[in-house]
Structure formats: structure tokens, C-alpha cells
Amino acid sequence: MSHLRKFDYLQLAVAFTGLIIFIVLAIGYVNDFGYIHWLDQFGFRYLREPLTPERSWFFRNITRAGNTKWTALVMVVTTIIALLIRKVDVAVFMMVNVGVFGLGVMSLFKHIFHRPRPAIYHVIEQSGYSFPSGHALNAILLYGSLIVLVHYYLKSEDNLRYAFMTLLSGLVIAIPVSRVYLGVHYFSDVLAGFGLGTFLLIMSKEVIFKYRTREVFENALNPKSSSNITQ
């Protein structure tokens, strides 16, 4: 037991707060509670307006950073690089967050809730269901994962680390906002995706990087060290 790392309880509190937000919004949508309508109108009023050519151009391009094909490409490239440098835990971290959670879990929930997209003008064409927002979920899982990796592996390069983390954090915020502006999601959709993504990201990080799981991955590549860990 001495080899087990302690969980970060503050981050766990944030994770479960995100899960609670997702559950509350899911219950609100299913039961047509009033706070869902209030949130959605709030989003359209303060995030969508005004519609201008400049803002439309900006958000059309920003939202592409959360598209399924792009996130899958980044996951594959990052995973291959991680495997080449023998960082199996990083490869698993990316595949679980982006492949399993960001693409698989997102599709499952969309088909469970079957929420139609907003019946307003769509700045871009978008098919499929609305709840939760896959772009919001992918934003936090993909770019949040990259933030975690930058934090772990660029500790000695403060300026570069802060620059990358600022850029990635901006995408985590801007991509969900873009979905409301473009008219393809309700505000409650992106909040639900963001909350669920926060929970999944933190839990996967805690398990893979802070629990004994990391030693399991290391031992898979270096069996000789396993005897030292179990002693």
C-alpha cells in the first residue's frame, strides 16, 4: 500500500461537481424543468448576440478545433508519439479520453437523450442530436488532456509551458462558446458536455498518472523493475 499515490481531493471535488452539473442538466432536460429554458435563453442572449460577419468567421474557425475528425487525428498522432518514446501511460490516457470518452461516450449519450438541435438560424450546417455537446466534451477531453501533459512534461520550461497552457485553455473555453453562437447547441448542452468532460478528464488523470496504474504500464515495457515495486 505504500506505493499507492494519494488522490488530489480538491480535484476530485471539481470532478464530481462537473458530474453533478451534468446530471442536474440531464434531469432538467428530460423533465422539461424551467431552469433549462432559462439557461438556454441566457446563452442565446449573451453568447450568441450580436451576429456579425467578423464573429461568425471567428467562431466558424474555432469550432473546427473540436470536430470529430480533428480530435481523432490529434489523438492518433499523440498516441503514436507516446508509444515511440515508450510512454504507454500517455498513450492510454489519450486513447481513453479522446477515443473512448470523447467519441464513444458522447455518441451513447446523444442517442439516449435524442434532443433536437435549436430551431433557430444555424450559422453552419450540423446534423445529429444536441445533448450533450460533443464539441464541448471533446474540447475539455482533448485540450484538457494536452494541458495535463504539458504540465507534467514541460515543468522545466516555464515560459513555453505557460504559453501552451494559455492557448489550450483558450480553446477549452472558446469551442463550447462557438457552438452556442453558431446556433447548433443550447447553452445547457455545452454546460453538460463541459461538466461531464471535466469529470472524465480528472478521474482518468488521477487513475492513470497518480495511482499504481502508471507502474503497471511502466512494468509492461520494463518487466525487470516489477520485482522492485512488489517488494
Side-chain angles (χ1 to χ4, degrees):
M1 293 296 292
S2 61
H3 295 284
L4 300 183
R5 294 180 171 90
K6 291 183 178 180
F7 286 110
D8 187 324
Y9 292 106
L10 176 60
Q11 292 192 34
L12 287 179
V14 173
F16 281 98
T17 299
L19 180 61
I20 291 170
I21 289 173
F22 171 76
I23 293 172
V24 169
L25 292 172
I27 292 173
Y29 165 65
V30 171
N31 294 280
D32 198 27
F33 288 154
Y35 61 82
I36 295 294
H37 299 287
W38 183 88
L39 281 172
D40 293 340
Q41 292 306 312
F42 177 89
F44 288 141
R45 178 175 297 178
Y46 293 103
L47 298 181
R48 180 173 166 84
E49 299 297 336
L51 287 173
T52 66
E54 295 78 15
R55 296 184 79 207
S56 296
W57 176 88
F58 175 77
F59 284 120
R60 272 199 302 264
N61 285 282
I62 282 292
T63 206
R64 290 172 180 162
N67 287 349
T68 300
K69 291 182 179 179
W70 171 252
T71 55
L73 175 62
V74 175
M75 176 197 70
V76 170
V77 171
T78 307
T79 300
I80 291 174
I81 293 173
L83 292 174
L84 289 175
I85 61 175
R86 300 173 69 85
K87 294 291 184 180
V88 182
D89 52 351
V90 173
V92 172
F93 182 63
M94 292 300 296
M95 287 189 293
V96 167
N97 279 334
V98 182
V100 178
F101 294 154
L103 302 178
V105 172
M106 177 266 294
S107 298
L108 174 64
F109 278 124
K110 280 183 177 289
H111 284 87
I112 287 175
F113 291 103
H114 280 84
R115 188 183 196 184
R117 294 191 182 272
I120 59 176
Y121 169 66
H122 294 180
V123 179
I124 61 172
E125 292 185 7
Q126 191 73 60
S127 59
Y129 298 114
S130 190
F131 186 95
S133 167
H135 274 67
L137 186 64
N138 282 329
I140 187 67
L141 287 173
L142 173 60
Y143 299 109
S145 295
L146 294 178
I147 288 173
V148 170
L149 298 179
V150 167
H151 175 71
Y152 282 159
Y153 293 103
L154 290 180
K155 286 186 176 180
S156 61
E157 302 288 341
D158 285 344
N159 292 335
L160 187 61
R161 176 161 55 97
Y162 291 139
F164 273 118
M165 291 178 71
T166 300
L167 174 62
L168 295 170
S169 297
L171 289 172
V172 169
I173 296 172
I175 291 172
V177 171
S178 75
R179 307 305 286 173
V180 179
Y181 176 85
L182 297 171
V184 295
H185 276 295
Y186 296 101
F187 190 37
S188 55
D189 297 335
V190 300
L191 287 178
F194 199 89
L196 180 61
T198 299
F199 171 76
L200 296 173
L201 173 66
I202 293 176
M203 294 305 297
S204 65
K205 177 183 74 68
E206 290 292 303
V207 170
I208 292 174
F209 290 115
K210 290 193 175 181
Y211 201 56
R212 191 170 177 176
T213 314
R214 187 168 190 177
E215 280 88 340
V216 173
F217 296 136
E218 291 173 351
N219 294 338
L221 294 179
N222 188 17
K224 293 182 180 179
S225 65
S226 60
S227 59
N228 296 328
I229 293 176
T230 56
Q231 288 177 356

